[in-house]
Amino acid sequence: MADKRGDHTSYEQVMATIKNERIRFVNLEFTDVVGVAKCVTVPVEQFADCVRHGKWFDGSALENIARVAESDMYLYPDLATFTTLPGKVRPAPRIGSRQSDSESDGDVVARVICDVREPDGERFDGDPRAALLNAIEEARAMGFKYQVAPELEFFLLQVEDKKPIPLQDDPGSYFDLSTKFTVTIRSEMVHALQSMGIKIEGSHHEVAAGQHEIDFEIGDALHIADSLLTAKYVIKAIASQQNLYATFLPKPFYKKNGSGLHIHQQLINIETGKNVFVDEHAEYALSEIARGFIAGQLAHARSMCAILAPLVNSYKRLVRGYEAPVFVNWGRVNRQALIRVPRPGTDPQTSMRIELRCTDPSCNPHLALAVMLRAGLDGIQRKLTLPPAMDENIFLHDESERLRPRARLLPATLGEALDSMREDALIRDVLGDTIYEGFVDAKSIEWTEYRQQVHNWEIERYLPVF
């Protein structure tokens, strides 16, 4: 069954799919605060009871959130996300056997994404999906539907002696037409995602050797967040079958382009179905709503960064020279801008989008879209003024010109990003106290551990001298 939000998939439809496709097990999926997919697998005979009464699980699986007092949680399936896992994504067969898409090679498994609830049936405020649902409801109260289209970048690495190393046989560059075997692997990934109801707009080779991108068709934010969670384990599973390792680490290699998660955004008027970012008579064809939305994301950019780029490694990507943003700015032709407004095509209603470019694929997509949406809505509600566009190539300027006062810098480290996050009440409100405190605590420990490490660079640089 295709995973299409808004289809109001019925219980009867799901049960018919289970029977027709001879499904044996169902993965009840959810996510922890740092975006790692979790699941409880139940025999199909137990699924009906899970739908009616929820499935109990130990809430401590929600990393850094529920430990003692809130350990009793229930998973309630969102039936609109029910879909059969392709054969290539199911658990690997025993060594010596070969897995294919045929049902004879193993049990048929489905997945459904779940909401986490407390024993009384209320949403658990430590569930990242709940944070996004709350933001979507706020947008809906203002008359808007939030749509997004992410560009998911990743590296394919080869495995030698059980360690991933740079792929030697995939030297292509941006948009290269290639006959390399990785093109076939990427096509298998796209096919698997499409078979699960995830609509893909296109895929291509990226700048660095072994680097690829899969572009999602624009859709409602909850469906896309769920799809990104799924896509990461689908891509890893298919890569592993070719003895490759797919990584979503933002900056795996020094002096090479990093992997981003650029996200194109639209607000749609619920009553008219029109793109409210469009005003064809205004500068850049941007409506006042669009200008407020961009201004809101710029105002909260530094404090959102810890959510959008959540690893120590994320800030190795956000540096000059690799088409990644380092300034809090926006523009149209400047591809290094934090927020870019691509030129509308012949149909502005469908093509007008606002692209946020600091996000990377290590983020929790539900939390990322929640803070992005609320930041934009805050700009609309407060009627924030949008600063002038910076459309020149700012990376061609010298250092003194680069630091001119009209552009703030994004955080340079995870520690700096956490400091900015602590100063912004909106981010805490979006996440809720439970997620906010769990996230800040976990990431503060991560940053402290990194700072206390002695790295190879320090030894090689200083030991021969001092």
Side-chain angles (χ1 to χ4, degrees):
M1 179 177 298
D3 176 2
K4 298 177 181 177
R5 296 294 306 172
D7 278 2
H8 304 295
T9 307
S10 71
Y11 172 77
E12 290 75 17
Q13 287 175 301
V14 169
M15 297 310 289
T17 299
I18 288 173
K19 180 179 179 181
N20 294 338
E21 299 191 19
R22 299 179 181 178
I23 292 168
R24 294 289 307 279
F25 296 95
V26 180
N27 288 343
L28 308 178
E29 295 187 3
F30 57 105
T31 175
D32 68 11
V33 68
V34 296
V36 175
K38 307 282 187 179
C39 86
V40 176
T41 301
V42 298
V44 71
E45 293 81 7
Q46 299 295 318
F47 184 66
D49 186 70
C50 294
V51 173
R52 294 188 181 96
H53 304 116
K55 172 63 177 174
W56 177 90
F57 78 107
D58 183 356
S60 63
L62 286 166
E63 190 68 27
N64 309 305
I65 293 297
R67 284 304 179 198
V68 180
E70 298 172 318
S71 61
D72 292 326
M73 297 293 161
Y74 289 81
L75 297 173
Y76 279 83
D78 180 346
L79 295 182
T81 69
F82 188 93
T83 187
T84 305
L85 291 179
K88 291 181 179 295
V89 184
R90 296 171 200 162
R94 291 188 302 271
I95 295 173
S97 64
R98 183 174 178 84
Q99 188 176 20
S100 74
D101 282 318
S102 69
E103 293 180 4
S104 62
D105 286 327
D107 294 321
V108 181
V109 181
R111 81 93 160 95
V112 65
I113 295 176
C114 297
D115 295 313
V116 182
R117 298 184 188 174
E118 299 187 56
D120 61 4
E122 292 296 313
R123 284 180 189 167
F124 174 47
D125 63 359
D127 178 12
R129 202 169 190 257
L132 178 55
L133 282 166
N134 291 337
I136 289 170
E137 288 169 4
E138 179 158 335
R140 181 170 291 276
M142 295 172 64
F144 302 133
K145 176 184 177 182
Y146 185 45
Q147 296 193 153
V148 295
E151 300 172 354
L152 178 62
E153 296 177 350
F154 58 95
F155 276 87
L156 291 176
L157 309 179
Q158 63 192 70
V159 179
E160 289 188 3
D161 297 326
K162 298 183 180 180
K163 293 183 179 180
I165 64 172
L167 194 60
Q168 303 298 312
D169 194 32
D170 188 20
S173 58
Y174 195 49
F175 278 111
D176 269 8
L177 177 63
S178 173
T179 58
K180 296 292 184 182
F181 74 105
T182 51
V183 176
T184 301
I185 296 172
R186 195 176 69 224
S187 297
E188 289 181 4
M189 294 169 176
V190 170
H191 177 71
L193 294 172
Q194 289 178 315
S195 74
M196 298 178 73
I198 298 171
K199 295 182 179 180
I200 302 300
E201 193 172 77
S203 66
H204 60 84
H205 201 286
E206 261 294 338
V207 175
Q211 189 181 30
H212 297 265
E213 176 177 307
I214 295 177
D215 299 334
F216 290 62
E217 188 175 306
I218 199 160
D220 79 81
L222 184 63
H223 170 62
I224 294 297
D226 292 342
S227 298
L228 281 170
L229 190 71
T230 298
K232 289 198 277 189
Y233 71 70
V234 167
I235 289 168
K236 282 182 174 290
I238 292 176
S240 70
Q241 292 175 7
Q242 302 295 331
N243 200 32
L244 298 177
Y245 181 76
T247 180
F248 300 97
L249 189 67
K251 187 77 169 183
F253 304 114
Y254 176 55
K255 289 191 175 179
K256 303 291 184 184
N257 281 61
S259 293
L261 182 70
H262 301 167
I263 300 179
H264 297 257
Q265 309 164 88
Q266 292 179 339
L267 283 184
I268 304 300
N269 184 297
I270 292 173
E271 291 186 0
T272 66
K274 297 289 187 181
N275 184 343
V276 300
F277 287 165
V278 178
D279 181 350
E280 296 186 49
H281 303 292
E283 185 180 19
Y284 301 109
L286 285 172
S287 69
E288 286 302 312
I289 289 176
R291 298 177 72 84
F293 191 88
I294 297 171
Q297 291 195 335
L298 292 178
H300 296 284
R302 285 180 54 85
S303 52
M304 288 195 298
C305 246
I307 298 294
L308 308 182
L311 303 184
V312 168
N313 180 261
S314 297
Y315 298 86
K316 308 293 177 71
R317 169 182 166 258
L318 299 177
V319 296
R320 291 198 299 160
Y322 299 96
E323 296 188 350
V326 296
F327 286 100
V328 179
N329 66 347
W330 75 282
R332 171 174 281 181
V333 299
N334 181 0
R335 296 195 66 84
Q336 291 88 13
L338 171 61
I339 294 177
R340 196 171 75 89
V341 181
R343 295 182 186 276
T346 54
D347 181 7
Q349 279 296 319
T350 58
S351 59
M352 172 61 81
R353 302 176 179 188
I354 291 169
E355 177 190 11
L356 185 66
R357 306 181 71 259
C358 66
T359 314
D360 72 50
S362 70
C363 73
N364 182 319
H366 295 88
L367 298 184
L369 294 180
V371 297
M372 289 166 58
L373 174 56
R374 285 287 305 277
L377 295 179
D378 184 58
I380 295 170
Q381 292 168 324
R382 294 200 287 145
K383 295 182 170 56
L384 297 181
T385 300
L386 183 64
M390 294 179 66
D391 273 333
E392 73 274 18
N393 190 338
I394 54 180
F395 292 93
L396 295 179
H397 294 291
D398 62 26
E399 189 73 11
S400 60
E401 178 68 6
R402 189 177 70 86
L403 296 175
R404 59 193 183 280
R406 71 185 183 113
R408 292 182 300 150
L409 290 167
L410 288 172
T413 66
L414 177 60
E416 192 178 330
L418 289 170
D419 288 343
S420 294
M421 182 175 169
R422 292 185 183 97
E423 296 170 357
D424 193 332
L426 178 76
I427 303 303
R428 182 167 191 139
D429 184 61
V430 176
L431 301 179
D433 289 344
T434 303
I435 292 177
Y436 177 88
E437 291 171 4
F439 182 89
V440 170
D441 287 349
K443 291 299 171 178
S444 295
I445 292 170
E446 185 177 326
W447 174 240
T448 298
E449 289 178 351
Y450 174 76
R451 287 193 303 109
Q452 291 175 346
Q453 289 287 333
V454 178
H455 302 277
N456 287 338
W457 183 91
E458 299 170 79
I459 299 300
E460 293 171 2
R461 178 76 174 243
Y462 300 128
L463 193 62
V465 178
F466 296 98

